[in-house]
Amino acid sequence: MKLKPLNDRVLVKRLEVEEKTAGGIYIPDSAKEKPLKGEVVAAGPGKLDDDGKRVAMTVKVGDTVLFAKYAGSEIAIDGEENLVMREDDILAIVE
């Protein structure tokens, strides 16, 4: 299934977190927190300003981003969990 976000929304795929600590202890799934880092899979064209002009998106497809803990709405696409969120919920681009 293809999904194209509207306006300033972004489709983000969460990146997996390390299952082992620096000391070598494995963390069970029940104790893990959901990662706050993901990859932009799709991005909308940008939001409209007060004059009706389109403001370009800062993020683009392929960017690795950090986002707020409770950002976006979880959706399943082809069996994979993804997030649809506004560009404002993205805190930083990881370079």
Side-chain angles (χ1 to χ4, degrees):
M1 171 169 56
K2 288 194 170 207
L3 187 77
K4 181 174 168 91
L6 300 175
N7 297 325
D8 66 333
R9 289 183 174 77
V10 179
L11 180 67
V12 176
K13 177 182 175 186
R14 287 186 196 260
L15 296 178
E16 295 299 318
V17 292
E18 187 74 26
E19 292 185 10
K20 187 169 62 168
T21 64
I25 299 171
Y26 285 94
I27 302 170
D29 288 338
S30 59
K32 287 185 199 173
E33 286 192 26
K34 290 187 178 181
L36 304 178
K37 188 175 180 183
E39 180 182 353
V40 176
V41 177
K47 64 180 170 182
L48 296 174
D49 64 6
D50 294 333
D51 298 330
K53 295 179 184 173
R54 184 99 29 209
V55 178
M57 298 282 279
T58 306
V59 297
K60 60 186 180 306
V61 175
D63 283 349
T64 302
V65 296
L66 296 176
F67 49 87
K69 188 171 190 170
Y70 299 107
S73 300
E74 292 186 1
I75 59 167
I77 300 175
D78 297 331
E80 290 187 22
E81 290 293 323
N82 293 289
L83 290 168
V84 174
M85 66 181 72
R86 291 191 172 274
E87 187 180 30
D88 295 341
D89 291 334
I90 295 175
L91 305 174
I93 297 174
V94 180
E95 295 181 348

